[in-house]
Amino acid sequence: IGDRTDVHLKVKPHPKVKEIYQVMLEDGAHRLATRNLTLGLRVYGERLIKFKNIEYRVWDAFLEAAREAKSSFGDDTVFIEKYVEDPRHIEFQVLGDNFGNVIHLYERECSIQRRHQKIIEETPTTALTPELREKMGEAAVKAAKAINYNNAGTIEFILDKNKNFYFLEMNTRLQVEHPITELVTGYDLVKKMIKIAAGEPLPMQQSDVKQRGHAIECRLYAENPDHLEFRPSIGLLTAFNLEVALGVRNDTGFKTGDRVSVHYDPLLAKLVTYGEDRTDALNKMYWALTNYTVLGVDTNIEFLRDVINNNNFREGKITTHFIQENFTHEWVNKSKRGLPLEILIAAVLLDKLSSKVKSPMNDESKTVHSPWQMLGDWGRQNLQRTSNMVEKILEDNEFKSGYKNPDLVPD
């Protein structure tokens, strides 16, 4: 499609950005009060240096960015973009054939991100009106036609809080999140790509493409989300069981016994749910995340579940800053905070009952080995404290008569 800094780009820059750039060229030594600006390096992943509502010697920053880019990537190209506050990341799926036909298959909301990488996507978005959806779809098709694009591709936009949208980039490939588009439109994108490559024309027109229902995708990563650090986790998958149900789709290449290594992206699976509406799809997603079993590595499953269950997310109050604004660095996986009291009580009762089971080998009563006996010092101490509490509860007269003693059992 072209270099973002190329003056011949089909998508023109915002006029205010051109004005600021011209001022910098004419008198870069002056101090400028820069507002709503982004200075960025043209690098993989689009690392951006942001200056928001501050005075800064812009020319110095420009040169600093260029030096860092040259040193790190051998390219000192720098571009300037308008800074968008409270942005939402909205992309449109397009399909083009070799006969000049281009259509879009509607949008995907990709605003839930960590380290500027998507982790939850959905379609349709709650951000667009029918009129704005049509306008953005037309812009996506126009951009693809401008370069005579043929294949599946994605036109990505940034949407500001005032419903203005700006071109971000085009991905000339199939996206990770393409399954949600397939579910709401009914079209197999991979099959369409193959047929386009084989020289066939698109069999449908824009008016044939409809959105039905709602679909959400969560990316399951082998990573530790504690303190919002999201550090990759490696190791042997001792259990990898992904539940399947109506409206639940799992795309994965892993199974129990596989090893997660440092050599590849830590993505374990793409979990996709489809429902009649957003609430239905969200409820299915929460169910699936709750019933997944992945052992051997740290995962972001519980973090995803907390996002799905977040009130602001449920109400569609989403921006690309969602995680920073809704989660603190104190967030820690609940499984590391200690087992709930009711689980410990159930474990002790099971342990006591199983210890009295007769061995099938003979008539003598023998203690059946309990997995709880294999715990470390912390586990044994915790189990012992709970065991003592359970015995007090069982001996309590009020408990025996059907009442709970508040001095023995916390509410």
Side-chain angles (χ1 to χ4, degrees), residues 183-357:
L183 289 175
V184 298
T185 64
Y187 291 109
D188 186 325
L189 294 182
V190 176
K191 183 181 292 185
K192 289 288 181 286
M193 290 176 68
I194 293 173
K195 289 188 175 183
I196 290 171
E200 295 186 18
L202 284 174
M204 68 285 203
Q205 298 177 347
Q206 187 64 62
S207 59
D208 298 322
V209 184
K210 307 294 182 183
Q211 286 178 307
R212 297 180 180 87
H214 199 99
I216 302 172
E217 175 181 284
C218 283
R219 303 189 190 191
L220 273 60
Y221 281 99
E223 64 184 15
N224 185 350
D226 287 358
H227 310 297
L228 306 186
E229 294 179 351
F230 302 100
R231 295 182 178 180
S233 177
I234 60 173
L236 183 70
L237 290 172
T238 55
F240 191 74
N241 301 315
L242 309 182
E243 292 292 334
V244 177
L246 183 65
V248 178
R249 166 175 166 174
N250 297 299
D251 288 5
T252 184
F254 283 96
K255 63 182 184 301
T256 299
D258 286 345
R259 183 171 294 278
V260 180
S261 77
V262 299
H263 303 296
Y264 302 98
D265 187 274
L267 182 66
L268 294 175
K270 298 188 298 184
L271 165 62
V272 186
T273 58
Y274 175 80
E276 295 181 359
D277 53 31
R278 189 170 188 263
T279 299
D280 186 23
L282 283 173
N283 291 340
K284 289 177 179 178
M285 179 63 71
Y286 189 82
W287 174 87
L289 289 169
T290 301
N291 286 277
Y292 273 14
T293 302
V294 180
L295 301 176
V297 296
D298 290 324
T299 73
N300 66 338
I301 290 178
E302 185 169 346
F303 182 79
L304 292 171
R305 194 163 61 230
D306 281 0
V307 173
I308 293 296
N309 213 32
N310 180 278
N311 288 334
N312 285 332
F313 183 85
R314 289 265 173 176
E315 294 172 7
K317 298 176 181 177
I318 300 169
T319 73
T320 57
H321 307 310
F322 179 87
I323 290 178
Q324 301 93 305
E325 294 175 348
N326 289 269
F327 293 86
T328 69
H329 285 276
E330 283 69 44
W331 189 93
V332 177
N333 193 315
K334 292 185 181 67
S335 64
K336 297 181 180 180
R337 304 171 196 166
L339 291 173
L341 178 63
E342 58 269 25
I343 293 180
L344 288 170
I345 291 174
V348 170
L349 290 172
L350 179 63
D351 189 64
K352 288 185 175 295
L353 288 172
S354 63
S355 67
K356 297 178 181 179
V357 176

Side-chain angles (χ1 to χ4, degrees), residues 53-292:
N53 296 332
I54 61 171
E55 278 201 1
Y56 200 90
R57 191 176 294 277
V58 179
W59 190 249
D60 290 347
F62 197 93
L63 295 177
E64 179 185 344
R67 284 193 298 268
E68 185 175 344
K70 184 69 173 179
S71 173
S72 300
F73 308 100
D75 185 350
D76 60 0
T77 305
V78 179
F79 60 84
I80 304 175
E81 293 179 320
K82 174 182 171 64
Y83 182 85
V84 178
E85 296 185 80
D86 300 324
R88 296 179 75 143
H89 186 139
I90 310 291
E91 63 186 30
F92 272 73
Q93 177 71 56
V94 296
L95 277 177
D97 62 20
N98 296 291
F99 303 92
N101 302 307
V102 180
I103 63 171
H104 71 80
L105 287 84
Y106 294 98
E107 83 283 359
R108 295 186 288 256
E109 166 94 50
C110 308
S111 298
I112 306 300
Q113 304 176 6
R114 59 101 174 93
R115 296 204 305 267
H116 306 292
Q117 187 175 30
K118 309 164 190 174
I119 58 172
I120 297 178
E121 301 96 350
E122 63 177 307
T123 185
T125 175
T126 60
L128 302 184
T129 62
E131 295 76 20
L132 184 55
R133 177 175 289 111
E134 182 178 359
K135 187 176 181 180
M136 293 180 70
E138 290 175 353
V141 170
K142 185 177 180 181
K145 283 186 173 181
I147 59 170
N148 300 315
Y149 189 73
N150 63 307
N151 205 326
T154 305
I155 306 293
E156 304 200 359
F157 298 104
I158 290 294
L159 183 73
D160 71 16
K161 57 187 177 183
N162 297 317
K163 305 298 183 181
N164 300 305
F165 65 93
Y166 306 90
F167 173 78
L168 179 63
E169 66 179 0
M170 181 179 188
N171 282 310
T172 55
R173 55 179 170 80
L174 196 65
Q175 295 279 83
V176 171
E177 58 273 18
H178 77 273
I180 60 176
T181 296
E182 294 182 331
L183 289 175
V184 298
T185 64
Y187 291 109
D188 186 325
L189 294 182
V190 176
K191 183 181 292 185
K192 289 288 181 286
M193 290 176 68
I194 293 173
K195 289 188 175 183
I196 290 171
E200 295 186 18
L202 284 174
M204 68 285 203
Q205 298 177 347
Q206 187 64 62
S207 59
D208 298 322
V209 184
K210 307 294 182 183
Q211 286 178 307
R212 297 180 180 87
H214 199 99
I216 302 172
E217 175 181 284
C218 283
R219 303 189 190 191
L220 273 60
Y221 281 99
E223 64 184 15
N224 185 350
D226 287 358
H227 310 297
L228 306 186
E229 294 179 351
F230 302 100
R231 295 182 178 180
S233 177
I234 60 173
L236 183 70
L237 290 172
T238 55
F240 191 74
N241 301 315
L242 309 182
E243 292 292 334
V244 177
L246 183 65
V248 178
R249 166 175 166 174
N250 297 299
D251 288 5
T252 184
F254 283 96
K255 63 182 184 301
T256 299
D258 286 345
R259 183 171 294 278
V260 180
S261 77
V262 299
H263 303 296
Y264 302 98
D265 187 274
L267 182 66
L268 294 175
K270 298 188 298 184
L271 165 62
V272 186
T273 58
Y274 175 80
E276 295 181 359
D277 53 31
R278 189 170 188 263
T279 299
D280 186 23
L282 283 173
N283 291 340
K284 289 177 179 178
M285 179 63 71
Y286 189 82
W287 174 87
L289 289 169
T290 301
N291 286 277
Y292 273 14

Side-chain angles (χ1 to χ4, degrees), residues 344-345 347-349 351 370-373 375 377-390:
L344 288 170
I345 291 174
V348 170
L349 290 172
D351 189 64
S370 166
W372 296 91
Q373 298 170 359
L375 295 173
D377 291 339
W378 176 89
R380 283 192 292 272
Q381 292 170 9
N382 202 6
L383 189 62
Q384 185 60 51
R385 286 194 298 269
T386 309
S387 178
N388 294 338
M389 184 182 70
V390 170

Side-chain angles (χ1 to χ4, degrees), residues 14 16-17 19-21 24 31-39 50-58 80-85:
H14 191 277
K16 189 65 176 176
V17 171
E19 175 188 328
I20 294 171
Y21 181 70
M24 288 177 60
R31 289 180 62 86
L32 297 175
T34 65
R35 294 177 182 273
N36 297 331
L37 260 183
T38 298
L39 296 185
K50 298 176 182 176
F51 303 94
K52 177 184 174 185
N53 296 332
I54 61 171
E55 278 201 1
Y56 200 90
R57 191 176 294 277
V58 179
I80 304 175
E81 293 179 320
K82 174 182 171 64
Y83 182 85
V84 178
E85 296 185 80

